[in-house]
Amino acid sequence: MKKLIAVALVAFLGLSSAMAQQTDLRRKISVSGTSETEVTPDIIYIGISLKEYLNGKKKVDITELEKQLFAAVQKAGIAKENLTISNLSSWNYATEKKKNPDFLASKQYRLKVSDLNRFDSILEAIDPKGIANTNIESYDYSKIESLKKDLKIKALLAAKEKAAYMVEALYGKLGDVLEIQDGGDNIIQPVYRNYMMKSAMAESADAAPELDFKKIKLNFTVNVIFMIL
């Protein structure tokens, strides 16, 4: 019995010693640093829907509207590969025209631009009655990965500065970094007004879309633990 008690006591003391060794007794400070900025999107994908319409008894054909769109894109200095057909309202619309003389064909395009002002000039060169609608499908910033890296470095430096003046206020000295935790990416995409040019609204050549410029907001936080010397 005495042997069992002795063994148990030794095991308990060994466990206590191991736990004490695992306990981090270093003095440390945990702080967070943030950095943020705003950038204007320079990669914008816009959907454009063209549709035939009746001008009195005469039908304005989709091919005529296409020619206006292609010419406007070229005049704006946008590469032709940046304009693609995204959808046909009916893949066999030629057959539909034969069956139904009143059938109005439509086509949807996807245009990549770097500046919405160029898009404005393109729409001004197209018959407004032939534009069913337009909408921004997606957007991005070409140098966003490099920008994210710079902002996280700034957040780290902000955390170090904060830790330094807090420690120095208590007559201490900031030591090495013990741990860094990335707070993740916080990117707030701009919400553009859905600036539609609907055929029902485009009754005159003066009709124009309302452009609403917004910026992408980037905000990053890092959590850092420093030693206190």
Side-chain angles (χ1 to χ4, degrees):
M1 185 68 179
K2 291 182 178 179
K3 289 184 178 180
L4 290 175
I5 295 175
V7 170
L9 181 61
V10 170
F12 175 76
L13 292 174
L15 179 62
S16 300
S17 177
M19 292 179 62
Q21 290 177 3
Q22 292 177 2
T23 302
D24 189 352
L25 301 177
R26 293 174 297 183
R27 297 192 306 160
K28 52 187 178 290
I29 180 173
S30 176
V31 295
S32 62
T34 61
S35 63
E36 60 183 9
T37 191
E38 293 184 348
V39 291
T40 301
D42 60 0
I43 301 175
I44 307 169
Y45 291 97
I46 303 172
I48 305 172
S49 179
L50 301 180
K51 187 172 184 177
E52 296 178 337
Y53 71 94
L54 295 175
N55 186 7
K57 293 184 178 181
K58 181 182 177 182
K59 181 187 294 185
V60 177
D61 196 80
I62 194 72
T63 55
E64 176 59 30
L65 298 171
E66 283 183 308
K67 289 179 182 178
Q68 294 177 13
L69 175 59
F70 295 154
V73 169
Q74 185 177 17
K75 185 178 180 180
I78 298 174
K80 62 181 181 179
E81 56 266 25
N82 286 355
L83 178 66
T84 56
I85 297 176
S86 59
N87 185 35
L88 290 173
S89 62
S90 177
W91 64 271
N92 60 343
Y93 70 87
T95 305
E96 291 292 335
K97 282 187 175 183
K98 292 180 180 179
K99 293 180 180 179
N100 180 11
D102 296 328
F103 176 77
L104 298 176
S106 66
K107 283 187 178 182
Q108 288 74 47
Y109 299 85
R110 194 175 194 232
L111 179 65
K112 178 183 177 182
V113 298
S114 58
D115 185 352
L116 283 179
N117 286 317
R118 289 190 180 187
F119 178 56
D120 191 11
S121 66
I122 289 171
L123 289 188
E124 289 175 354
I126 304 173
D127 184 347
K129 293 183 180 180
I131 302 176
N133 60 68
T134 64
N135 70 288
I136 293 179
E137 296 180 349
S138 61
Y139 29 77
D140 204 347
Y141 182 64
S142 59
K143 299 179 181 178
I144 197 163
E145 290 303 320
S146 175
L147 185 60
K148 284 161 60 174
K149 178 181 177 181
D150 291 341
L151 287 174
K152 289 187 178 183
I153 291 174
K154 289 181 179 179
L156 280 170
L157 295 176
K160 181 180 180 181
E161 181 182 2
K162 182 191 294 185
Y165 70 68
M166 291 176 69
V167 170
E168 289 170 5
L170 297 176
Y171 307 104
K173 186 176 179 181
L174 195 65
D176 294 335
V177 176
L178 296 176
E179 183 179 330
I180 298 175
Q181 291 183 347
D182 187 349
D185 297 353
N186 183 19
I187 302 175
I188 303 174
Q189 296 284 4
V191 178
Y192 283 88
R193 187 177 298 121
N194 200 16
Y195 59 99
M196 296 290 184
M197 276 193 72
K198 296 184 179 179
S199 55
M201 299 171 61
E203 295 297 332
S204 70
D206 296 331
E210 183 178 3
L211 299 182
D212 187 12
F213 292 91
K214 300 286 185 181
K215 292 186 176 182
I216 297 175
K217 295 182 179 180
L218 298 95
N219 181 287
F220 298 100
T221 300
V222 292
N223 301 307
V224 188
I225 298 176
F226 295 92
M227 281 188 62
I228 300 177
L229 301 179

